[in-house]
Amino acid sequence: MPPLIPSRAITTALSALLLLAAGRPGSAAEPAPLSAADFASRVGPVLERRCGHCHGAERQEGGLRLDTFAGLRAGGDSGPVIVPGSRAESLLVRAVGRGDEALLMPPGEALPADEQGLLVEWVEAGAPHPEGSLEPPLPAPPFDPVEARGFWSFRPVVRPPVPADGDPADPIDAFVRVRLAAAGLVPTPPADRATLLRRVTFDLTGLPPTPDEMEAFLADGAPGAFARVVDRLLASPHHGEHWGRHWLDVVRYADSNGLDENVAHGNAWRYRDWVIKSLNDDLPYDEFLRRQIAGDLLVEPGADPERRRDLLTATGFLVLGPKVLAEGDQAKLAADIVDEQIDTFGRAFLGLSLGCARCHHHKFDPVSQDDYAALAGVFTSTRSMESLARIARWQENIVAPPDAQEAHAAANARVEAAKGEIAAMVTAARAALAAAGTDPATVAEDRFPEETTGRLAGLRARLGELERAVVPLDTAMGVIEGSPADARIAVRGDHLAPGRRVPRGVPVVLEIDGPVAIPAASSGRRELAAWLTDPRHPLTARVIVNRVWRWHFGRGLVASSDNFGRLGEAPVNQPLLDWLAAELIDSGWSLKALHRRIILSAAWQRSSDPATSPTGAAAADIDPDNHLRWRGSIRRLEAESIRDSLLAVGGRLDRTMGGSLLHVANRAFLFDHTSKDETRYDAPRRSVYMPVIRNHIQDCLWLFDATDGAVPCGDRGTSTVPSQSLWMMNGDLVLEVADGLTRSILAATPGDARARPLLLFRRVLARPPTAAEEALVQGSVARITARLAAAGTPPGECEREAWTAVTQSLLAANEFLFIR
């Protein structure tokens, strides 16, 4: 049997006797803290005897060796096992204490209580060791930060000089011309005015130009006519709706949770509407980001109610992601939510896949597990969930104005007062029964005196009225500060295998003035937002400028819009990308100024007909995908614009802005036991306001490549599949629009069939038909009418059905579905 080591109680008693023998005053004193000598004589032998078999010279399970100073200090695969002075953070103490199912050491029988106590006392004393401090060393990054910062996207943004052979008033074209000249390409001339108006109207608002807008522009021969159109469209409320939809793709917006419990995000629409309003107001992009990360921390005391609402609503960005709400392991759920936040933060704002460093160092980019844990600490210290218990509830903040909150409190007070009055009457009635010798517990209320039951019925009816009069307070998905704490590295990504703690911060390779200083009492989101929007940040401006370019041209200067790391594509024109990034910052982060500059460039206004380029067929061979912008690109309308255009040309589009179209209450299930989604999409509102139900997107939007908001997406694909044509032939919306548009045209041209092609083409394509097209339409109508009549269709319906078929064919034409 090994020799016993005196327990702390025995040691305390011996020390007290020694003090008294020395003539010191009175009572027993605490023993002196353990010293380095005590490690050699008491602690070391325990570790060697109890742990040496698996963690000694011959074996190092988990990479851990406990019989040397170097081994004790370095720790093992799970990180340092000793944090001097902190029993809570020392894995050694947690392991021998056996309070963590993932850490039960030594295997088999637990250490005796006195030996556990000795190890705890030694750690709390600072873990003194004869060879020095056991404070774990800060690990060096698994890469050279200086070398890593030499990668093109991690270098600071520096405004390059505009090429001398370019037009100083048009820097974009100057940079583009340099690349074209180097490739031996000559660009196409500008597109015709009608094509430009259709292109810019869709580009800035997602809607087609009206016939009146087309006529007015074609008739305006004054200088600056096109610039005035651009300014008009940027000022349109429809601009924020269209460009807000782009941003909602990036931040994985959805009106339902998806995954295991597809419940309604009943208040997500407030974030969506805030995005649309912010873009319409041209909120500076840096402030746009700050509010989404730390809006709740920017609310000043006594802030204007509207500003307070906007700031709280903006933080909905952090809560919108899909979650496994029925997860029984709450620690796993919390870790998965933080992981989703980090991944979305990285892809949306930085163009980096930060989530890849959850389980190990990033395999390609200079992002370590420490970097991941540093960010995880920020989001772990943020309250994103009201409850993690099954079924978990995300955090929502009250955004109602003060007067509404006061009215709500008063209404609740009236309800409570009414309940109190009822309870008092029932108590008094039972007391009266008791005074009469009846046991009140055995008497139902219907045996109360008639007068009493009548009064109770009246009071309860009044209570029901008061309860129905309580108006729920407006709330918005969002976050608030949680309990600040640094996160631990999860060994191999396992939340049950926590390693060492990492101070909250940002990835080392992206530090600007060294590590970000985060106060101990805060989450660090305010500091994170300040770092992200620092004009010296190498990624923030580059990423959003590239996104805007991609949404205007169909392809970014960096083709991989969501990946600016080593696996992403290199910029096709980095000087232009950097010039635009610097220009965005210097303009006060104005996105509308960026739109205007891009659209007024010759690069954006070029004809899409390759035959108009002097280099002709050779240009198509040299740059077939138009990376260098020698011509305009033909692009299919996005899903939302296809639907909205159908409604617009059919005269059915309801341009009302904002609000929710969900048919269920907040947090209610979208699918019942039949798995049938009852969400309706028949409202003639713009598509940005249609509910986005994860796992079940509206058919016409899904067919044309809309996303379901499950993950960030800044680069939608464009597919061409037979089902799209089938929908244009048989979809209810297409048939209804064709029928309604035909009836409108027939009503406007009674007995004048020759006027109808002109009216139809102007309504659908915003241009008159050519002579050949007019003849084709009239001939088609005549042939279809004759066939219908031969088939026995009533005469009054033959003409309408024939014109409806022609109208539908025009709605399904490439000219309607594509931008040239």
Side-chain angles (χ1 to χ4, degrees):
M1 179 177 179
L4 294 176
I5 298 176
S7 68
R8 181 166 182 162
I10 297 173
T11 303
T12 301
L14 291 172
S15 299
L17 289 173
L18 289 172
L19 288 173
L20 288 174
R24 296 192 180 180
S27 59
E30 285 292 320
L34 294 182
S35 65
D38 292 308
F39 175 85
S41 62
R42 300 170 59 194
V43 178
V46 170
L47 293 176
E48 183 177 357
R49 184 171 60 254
R50 302 294 189 183
C51 311
H53 179 69
C54 297
H55 303 287
E58 296 183 3
R59 294 176 58 191
Q60 293 90 43
E61 293 287 340
L64 176 63
R65 183 171 181 176
L66 296 178
D67 65 336
T68 68
F69 171 74
L72 281 168
R73 189 165 187 256
D77 294 344
S78 297
V81 294
I82 296 167
V83 178
S86 176
R87 61 186 295 178
E89 296 183 90
S90 295
L91 295 182
L92 176 67
V93 173
R94 290 167 56 196
V96 300
R98 306 175 82 82
D100 188 333
E101 292 185 2
L103 291 171
L104 300 177
M105 295 293 165
E109 187 176 353
L111 286 183
D114 57 344
E115 294 185 359
Q116 290 186 37
L118 175 65
L119 293 177
V120 170
E121 184 178 1
W122 172 66
V123 168
E124 289 184 333
H129 192 282
E131 297 184 43
S133 172
L134 286 176
E135 190 71 39
L138 291 176
F143 52 84
D144 181 349
V146 175
E147 179 182 347
R149 291 179 186 124
F151 187 66
W152 74 264
S153 65
F154 300 143
R155 294 197 295 265
V157 174
V158 177
R159 181 190 288 268
V162 177
D165 61 341
D167 179 358
D170 192 11
I172 290 177
D173 293 322
F175 285 108
V176 171
R177 275 196 295 269
V178 169
R179 291 302 312 276
L180 291 177
L185 293 170
V186 178
T188 60
D192 63 81
R193 286 167 64 87
T195 297
L196 281 179
L197 183 68
R198 190 169 191 271
R199 186 189 295 177
V200 74
T201 306
F202 271 114
D203 228 19
L204 290 180
T205 69
L207 293 172
T210 66
D212 290 343
E213 289 170 346
M214 182 65 75
E215 286 186 4
F217 175 61
L218 295 179
D220 186 356
F226 186 69
R228 288 191 293 276
V229 167
V230 172
D231 291 339
R232 171 177 63 80
L233 295 173
L234 287 172
S236 166
H238 300 310
H239 170 73
E241 292 174 326
H242 180 55
W243 282 83
R245 182 59 262 175
H246 288 320
W247 183 255
L248 296 177
D249 276 5
V250 171
V251 296
R252 61 13 177 165
Y253 173 87
D255 293 287
S256 79
N257 178 70
L259 297 183
D260 61 332
E261 308 295 330
N262 206 357
V263 296
H265 285 171
N267 288 309
W269 64 271
R270 298 187 194 278
Y271 172 82
R272 178 204 65 206
D273 287 358
W274 173 81
V275 167
I276 293 171
K277 177 180 181 295
S278 297
L279 295 180
N280 275 332
D281 293 344
D282 199 20
L283 182 70
Y285 183 68
D286 59 341
E287 180 66 13
F288 184 62
L289 296 189
R290 276 194 292 270
R291 294 186 181 189
Q292 293 178 74
I293 297 167
D296 57 306
L297 303 177
L298 303 177
V299 179
E300 309 89 348
D304 174 76
E306 183 175 352
R307 173 173 169 79
R308 177 182 178 276
R309 181 197 65 209
D310 286 353
L311 291 172
L312 293 177
T313 300
T315 65
F317 157 74
L318 290 171
V319 189
L320 286 168
K323 308 166 186 67
V324 183
L325 298 177
E327 173 63 65
D329 185 337
Q330 295 186 17
K332 181 180 185 300
L333 174 58
D336 289 345
I337 290 172
V338 167
D339 179 66
E340 195 276 337
Q341 291 172 328
I342 291 174
D343 186 63
T344 300
F345 174 88
R347 294 179 188 274
F349 302 153
L350 305 175
L352 292 178
S353 52
L354 300 178
C356 291
R358 178 180 185 177
C359 305
H360 48 70
H361 301 319
H362 201 293
K363 296 297 185 182
F364 305 100
D365 295 333
V367 180
S368 67
Q369 264 196 295
D370 290 65
D371 293 329
Y372 179 95
L375 286 169
V378 174
F379 295 117
T380 300
S381 302
T382 300
R383 181 175 174 180
S384 302
M385 303 294 290
E386 292 179 6
S387 169
L388 294 173
R390 184 187 288 131
I391 295 173
R393 293 169 61 88
W394 57 82
Q395 171 71 25
E396 298 207 0
N397 294 321
I398 295 173
V399 294
D403 57 345
Q405 295 188 45
E406 292 170 4
H408 182 79
N412 277 330
R414 289 191 290 272
V415 168
E416 293 305 316
K419 289 180 179 178
E421 188 175 357
I422 292 171
M425 182 170 290
V426 170
T427 299
R430 294 192 183 281
L433 291 173
T438 303
D439 182 0
T442 64
V443 179
E445 284 191 15
D446 58 5
R447 294 182 59 189
F448 286 177
E450 184 175 346
E451 178 184 1
T452 301
T453 56
R455 291 180 61 193
L456 282 173
L459 288 174
R460 288 191 169 117
R462 173 60 177 158
L463 174 62
E465 295 174 0
L466 291 173
E467 288 176 332
R468 288 189 292 273
V470 177
V471 178
L473 288 173
D474 290 342
T475 60
M477 300 176 75
V479 302
I480 55 176
E481 288 287 80
S483 301
D486 294 331
R488 295 181 183 276
I489 283 179
V491 179
R492 292 179 293 279
D494 185 355
H495 68 289
L496 297 177
R500 55 185 169 76
R501 287 193 183 275
V502 177
R504 281 162 282 161
V506 302
V508 171
V509 74
L510 295 175
E511 291 176 350
I512 296 173
D513 291 321
V516 173
I518 296 177
S522 71
S523 66
R525 281 183 295 120
R526 185 194 294 269
E527 292 73 24
L528 181 66
W531 162 80
L532 179 67
T533 56
D534 190 309
R536 297 170 294 169
H537 199 294
L539 287 169
T540 307
R542 279 189 176 118
V543 168
I544 188 58
V545 159
N546 188 67
R547 292 196 189 284
V548 172
W549 186 275
R550 181 260 178 264
W551 290 322
H552 277 304
F553 289 99
R555 185 184 191 276
L557 292 167
V558 178
S560 51
S561 300
D562 298 326
N563 191 345
F564 274 46
R566 294 187 181 278
L567 288 187
E569 295 196 33
V572 70
N573 193 331
Q574 186 171 355
L576 174 56
L577 177 69
D578 286 359
W579 188 90
L580 288 170
E583 182 70 9
L584 174 68
I585 295 168
D586 292 346
S587 73
W589 298 85
S590 170
L591 291 178
K592 285 192 175 182
L594 178 62
H595 291 306
R596 194 176 194 279
R597 181 172 285 281
I598 289 174
I599 286 177
L600 293 181
S601 70
W604 185 89
Q605 296 182 32
R606 300 199 208 288
S607 168
S608 60
D609 183 358
T612 60
S613 167
T615 43
D621 292 335
I622 295 169
D623 184 21
D625 295 323
N626 196 27
H627 293 174
L628 302 181
R629 308 309 315 162
W630 60 276
R631 60 174 171 83
S633 294
I634 299 175
R635 292 184 290 138
R636 197 201 70 205
L637 294 175
E638 291 174 327
E640 293 84 356
S641 287
I642 292 174
R643 179 182 176 277
D644 293 351
S645 296
L646 287 169
L647 293 172
V649 301
R652 299 178 56 194
L653 182 62
D654 178 355
R655 298 178 186 246
T656 302
M657 298 181 68
S660 174
L661 294 177
L662 278 175
H663 67 289
V664 298
N666 187 29
R667 306 183 196 273
F669 282 87
L670 270 302
F671 296 81
D672 61 16
H673 64 284
T674 65
S675 296
K676 184 179 180 180
D677 182 7
E678 299 290 346
T679 305
R680 298 178 63 88
Y681 302 100
D682 53 1
R685 300 277 302 281
R686 288 208 67 174
S687 299
V688 70
Y689 301 117
M690 292 295 103
V692 178
I693 307 301
R694 289 189 176 125
N695 307 341
H696 197 252
I697 299 297
Q698 182 183 5
D699 287 345
C700 70
L701 299 184
W702 184 254
L703 278 173
F704 291 95
D705 308 303
T707 71
D708 70 349
V711 295
C713 177
D715 189 22
R716 280 192 193 182
T718 302
S719 63
T720 302
V721 293
S723 51
Q724 295 167 346
S725 297
L726 291 173
W727 186 82
M728 295 303 298
M729 292 171 59
N730 304 302
D732 290 341
L733 177 60
V734 181
L735 297 176
E736 291 167 5
V737 168
D739 180 68
L741 184 54
T742 297
R743 291 176 186 273
S744 172
I745 290 173
L746 293 178
T749 56
D752 188 5
R754 296 184 61 184
R756 290 169 188 164
L758 174 61
L759 189 56
L760 176 61
F761 270 69
R762 288 185 74 248
R763 289 280 295 272
V764 177
L765 301 178
R767 68 168 178 85
T770 64
E773 288 169 336
E774 186 170 353
L776 179 62
V777 167
Q778 296 287 14
S780 297
V781 169
R783 286 192 299 274
I784 296 172
T785 300
R787 291 177 182 176
L788 290 172
T793 303
E797 296 181 16
C798 288
E799 183 180 43
R800 179 180 58 79
E801 290 190 19
W803 277 102
T804 299
V806 170
T807 299
Q808 184 180 359
S809 69
L810 205 58
L811 293 173
N814 279 350
E815 186 174 348
F816 182 77
L817 296 174
F818 284 77
I819 304 171
R820 294 187 176 275

